Amino acid sequence: MLSATIPLIFLAACGSARTSASAPLASQSTGDAVANRFVDSVLATLSIEEKVGQLTMSPAEGLQTGPTVPRGSSAQVRAGLLGSVIGVQGAERTRTMQRIAVEESPHKIPLLFSLDVIHGFRTVFPVPLAEAASFDPELAQANARIAAMEATANGITWNYAPMVDIARDSRWGRIVESSGEDPYLGSIMAAARVRGFQGTRLSDASSLLATAKHFAAYGAVESGRDYANAELSERSFYEIYLPPFQSAIDAGAGSVMASFSSINGSPPHASAWLLRNVLRKQMHFDGLVVSDWAGIVELVPHGVARDTADAGTIALRAGVEVDMADGVYPASLARLARTDAAARAEVDEAVRHVLLAKYKLGLFTNPYHGANEATAARVTLSAEHLASARVAARESMVLLKNDGATLPLSRSIGTLAVIGALAADDTSAMGPWSVSGHPGESATVLAGLARANLSMKVRFAAGALPAGQDTSGVAAAVALARDADAVVLVLGESGNRTGEAESRAALELPPAQLELAKRVARAASGKPLVALLMNGRALAIPWLADSVPAILETWYLGTTHGDAIADVLFGAYAPSGKLPITFPRATGQMPIYYAHRNTGRPFDPKDKYTTRYNDLALTPLFPFGHGLSYTTFAYGDVRVAKSTMRASDSVAVSVAVTNTGKRDGDEVVQLYLRDDVASVARPVRQLVRFRRVHLAAGASETVSFTLGAGDLAFYDLGMRRIVEPGTFTLFAGTSSDATREASFTVIGDTLGMSPAPPRMR
Ligand code: BGC
């Protein structure tokens, strides 16, 4: 049902997932006249070379770079030709460098020390995808806070997280750094992490400047190939990929990193449309824009710049402000700015943003910020941090299957066989992007079991490596399984086979691991058999799903990986995580996500001419939001406070959930919405709210949510964000397959939420 009249009530500009963010830190500070006056006064004293220096970031010695990249040297700092560094960490090292900047350089401008603190610093938390599986934003915020405390004590002031890319194709290795496929979950997690990193005030010694990355639509790269082009519609861009960035910006994220992929042929590092029109004007971002590593120089191979100098000019024009490790700006911008007034103004604007970031961090008054050896010693890997990491690790696991209550395992087993090389792999336990973590400090599955005070014998056989063809160890693993009372098979992919530049063409278990699993399962027939998965993406595991009674998705859980797994295996904790990505039956289903649009011929098993594969079921192996517990939950009817409402009204929705099992547990109550008829086909359902609740055995709770126009809106054919009248169906339950439903009707006129955003270029 459509209406031609669109009243000019323009509400939120972009993004459906508005969180209860406190007032944005960045805009408060930027709007601060004192800050601006101060920054302008510093700017006025700088030569063009010194200004370009502020836009230059150099890598620490030892970081892997191309041969032409200049290193951050004391001489450069002393000359006032460096604004920031990447990769220098440690209170003493950073203080030494900062002392040169603020005592010996001409204008005494402090440096920014940047690093990737992706999922913890020395205390390593679950990888972001795993943390998203907790559906617990308070937890994500607390983890980010701890990471910020440890990182700042070690001299870091600028963090390259959170990664807020939506990713729907697990072939892309960087899905592990994301919150998965859903814009709403992604937006909530983005805001939580920004708040955690930045704290209540950026000038607090334990606050880190957060970076929302990679702007934008990096997760949509074609075929899951890292660095590739993303070919996508304007509607998907605004509706799916931008909301988490808006959420991060609304939460005050101080910087944004450009993506080094491209969108419809236009690399973000070269796109003024993206960085100026969309990011600055449409999304009201007033912080700092940083390039990705070598993102400027790569404009040449992208085919949009003739040479590196041309790349520098294009990137500056586009709105890239800090050159991360390319060495392009220091080599070319000063010359350009001398002859080109527009470039001079652009350089000034960029330097202003760098200086404002430094000002907001309080570096002009306390250049050392949190860097302090004693604090570092006190907070790093503190008992409190490790305890939080363990809570996070427990909440992040997803019990995919548990036939016959195989899990939890009995503590009175005589011998437990643990099979699979990953069980002893401490580097993988930490997961990728554990830049400051130490592998020796993370508990493997075996270490966790050893520490769990179990009276049983634990025997280990590697069986097969996660990659490769070698099956020579399988026989020994089979023998171990035959002699054991219960078997835990640890399967998946090494931590270093996920993350950047780790795209995969096959999500299936490699042949050697599959053979190991099959032969061990045969040997363990009749005994409790559990598959523990360690991976950073959705895997296609149809054989395991059919043949192994219990499957626990453990991802990479960080420092307390093995301890938390032992907690779940033996029932000290009942699993509560939910999948933030859809698990496919085969790689060929990629990209697969629950919030797809319907077709004109929805699948009908009796009708060949409906949407289908002729060689595979259409449905996923495990849907988004799926995750079991050791207890069970039942849902009551979905109640909607009113059956009709105007588009600008809000509506209360509630559902009762009861713990029907015998033990206490957490459930993530999920609410999905479908706009039944609209001028543009809407997703079959989309997540609009969720809440994690703890319920004692037998207890019930009525969970209430309020929905408003922002939840109902979409981009129409003219790309205006509107709410159209008509019926909406709600689904509440334990996964995206939730079947309890109710509906309400929006009456009256179409509501205009915002005019069309900048058209794609
Ligand atoms: C990655 C970024 C990261 C940067 C600095 C790049 O290769 O794409 O996500 O922040 O390196 O380490």
Side-chain angles (χ1 to χ4, degrees), residues 86 116 160 174 177 213-214 218 227 257 260 292-293 324 433 500:
I86 172 169
D116 292 271
Y160 298 132
R174 303 200 77 168
E177 298 171 54
K213 69 183 189 184
H214 308 80
Y218 185 18
Y227 314 123
M257 184 188 292
F260 46 25
D292 200 348
W293 187 282
M324 182 200 288
W433 283 111
E500 186 175 343

Side-chain angles (χ1 to χ4, degrees), residues 6 50 62 103 147 186 200 300 320 351 369 395 401 409 415 421 440 480 488 511-512 530 583 604 642 706 714 735:
I6 303 181
E50 289 164 338
E103 290 181 11
T200 40
V300 179
V320 175
V351 175
H369 201 59
E395 281 194 19
K401 180 180 176 190
L409 295 173
T415 305
L480 206 69
V488 170
V530 181
F583 268 46
D604 176 350
K642 47 192 173 198
T706 304
F714 69 98
S735 80

Side-chain angles (χ1 to χ4, degrees), residues 376-707:
R378 182 168 48 78
V379 300
T380 302
L381 288 172
S382 71
E384 201 187 319
H385 293 185
L386 290 174
S388 297
R390 189 151 169 178
V391 170
R394 286 167 153 197
E395 281 194 19
S396 301
M397 278 177 262
V398 183
L399 183 59
L400 297 175
K401 180 180 176 190
N402 195 19
D403 282 1
T406 306
L407 282 172
L409 295 173
S410 156
R411 292 181 80 97
S412 47
I413 289 168
T415 305
L416 176 70
V418 177
I419 293 169
L422 286 168
D425 181 348
D426 54 8
T427 305
S428 289
M430 287 201 309
W433 283 111
S434 304
V435 174
S436 312
H438 296 188
E441 290 165 357
S442 61
T444 60
V445 174
L446 288 178
L449 290 170
R451 288 208 284 243
N453 249 337
L454 301 165
S455 50
M456 71 201 62
K457 286 196 208 94
V458 177
R459 296 243 160 87
F460 169 67
L465 293 172
Q469 309 294 330
D470 185 4
T471 51
S472 57
V474 172
V478 167
L480 206 69
R482 206 173 287 123
D483 291 344
D485 301 304
V487 179
V488 170
L489 254 173
V490 186
L491 302 168
E493 51 183 359
S494 299
N496 61 11
R497 299 314 300 273
T498 65
E500 186 175 343
E502 293 293 345
S503 297
R504 276 176 72 168
L507 301 174
E508 285 73 17
L509 287 177
Q513 277 201 72
L514 199 56
E515 181 177 334
L516 173 71
K518 287 182 176 172
R519 286 174 54 190
V520 165
R522 219 175 301 134
S525 163
K527 300 174 189 175
L529 171 65
V530 181
L532 294 187
L533 297 177
M534 283 175 68
N535 47 291
R537 61 182 105 217
L539 295 178
I541 46 161
W543 184 85
L544 287 184
D546 278 349
S547 317
V548 173
I551 306 174
L552 181 68
E553 175 55 79
T554 72
W555 321 102
Y556 308 112
L557 298 171
T559 311
T560 63
H561 179 86
D563 302 307
I565 288 175
D567 292 340
V568 168
L569 281 181
F570 291 95
Y573 182 79
S576 58
K578 302 283 184 176
L579 288 179
I581 40 173
T582 303
F583 268 46
R585 294 174 186 277
T587 309
Q589 285 182 317
M590 284 291 143
I592 185 169
Y593 48 94
Y594 79 93
H596 59 88
R597 295 177 212 279
N598 227 338
T599 72
R601 298 184 181 192
F603 174 64
D604 176 350
K606 296 189 288 304
D607 185 350
K608 172 177 179 336
Y609 292 98
T610 56
T611 190
R612 62 167 69 223
Y613 292 113
N614 68 15
D615 55 355
L616 190 72
L618 205 62
T619 52
L621 195 60
F622 298 107
F624 174 89
H626 168 75
L628 306 171
S629 182
Y630 293 159
T631 185
T632 47
F633 298 95
Y635 283 78
D637 291 339
V638 185
R639 301 201 183 281
V640 188
K642 47 192 173 198
S643 57
T644 59
M645 66 178 235
R646 301 210 152 259
S648 52
D649 289 349
S650 56
V651 62
V653 183
S654 63
V655 64
V657 55
T658 305
N659 181 343
T660 49
K662 290 198 179 62
R663 62 173 290 169
D664 303 354
D666 282 14
E667 166 69 330
V668 177
V669 177
Q670 301 162 47
L671 183 69
Y672 296 84
L673 175 93
R674 182 181 67 214
D675 185 345
D676 296 328
V677 181
S679 50
V680 175
R682 303 297 303 136
V684 291
R685 59 180 62 185
Q686 56 193 120
L687 185 69
V688 283
R689 291 290 182 277
F690 61 84
R691 187 160 321 139
R692 177 180 265 272
V693 291
H694 181 77
L695 288 175
S700 286
E701 186 174 327
T702 297
V703 178
S704 302
F705 303 107
T706 304
L707 301 181

Side-chain angles (χ1 to χ4, degrees), residues 261-460:
S261 53
S262 63
I263 304 171
N264 301 335
S266 171
H269 286 76
S271 176
W273 164 75
L274 184 70
L275 300 180
R276 296 193 186 277
N277 291 6
V278 177
L279 182 63
R280 297 277 183 205
K281 294 203 183 103
Q282 173 76 12
M283 301 175 79
H284 304 293
F285 176 66
D286 58 7
L288 181 58
V289 175
V290 60
S291 80
D292 200 348
W293 187 282
I296 300 174
V297 81
E298 285 167 12
L299 294 179
V300 179
H302 262 300
V304 299
R306 281 186 311 277
D307 51 30
T308 50
D310 193 28
T313 309
I314 291 172
L316 179 74
R317 289 269 130 91
V320 175
E321 298 180 321
V322 172
D323 167 338
M324 182 200 288
D326 284 67
V328 175
Y329 280 5
S332 62
L333 281 199
R335 198 172 337 122
L336 174 74
R338 259 192 221 101
T339 55
D340 182 328
R344 256 195 316 277
E346 282 152 2
V347 165
D348 279 0
E349 189 56 12
V351 175
R352 211 172 265 122
H353 287 137
V354 173
L355 297 176
L356 269 173
K358 294 179 176 181
Y359 182 91
K360 286 181 225 158
L361 281 160
L363 300 184
F364 286 100
T365 41
N366 177 16
Y368 305 103
H369 201 59
N372 183 306
E373 295 261 321
T375 313
R378 182 168 48 78
V379 300
T380 302
L381 288 172
S382 71
E384 201 187 319
H385 293 185
L386 290 174
S388 297
R390 189 151 169 178
V391 170
R394 286 167 153 197
E395 281 194 19
S396 301
M397 278 177 262
V398 183
L399 183 59
L400 297 175
K401 180 180 176 190
N402 195 19
D403 282 1
T406 306
L407 282 172
L409 295 173
S410 156
R411 292 181 80 97
S412 47
I413 289 168
T415 305
L416 176 70
V418 177
I419 293 169
L422 286 168
D425 181 348
D426 54 8
T427 305
S428 289
M430 287 201 309
W433 283 111
S434 304
V435 174
S436 312
H438 296 188
E441 290 165 357
S442 61
T444 60
V445 174
L446 288 178
L449 290 170
R451 288 208 284 243
N453 249 337
L454 301 165
S455 50
M456 71 201 62
K457 286 196 208 94
V458 177
R459 296 243 160 87
F460 169 67

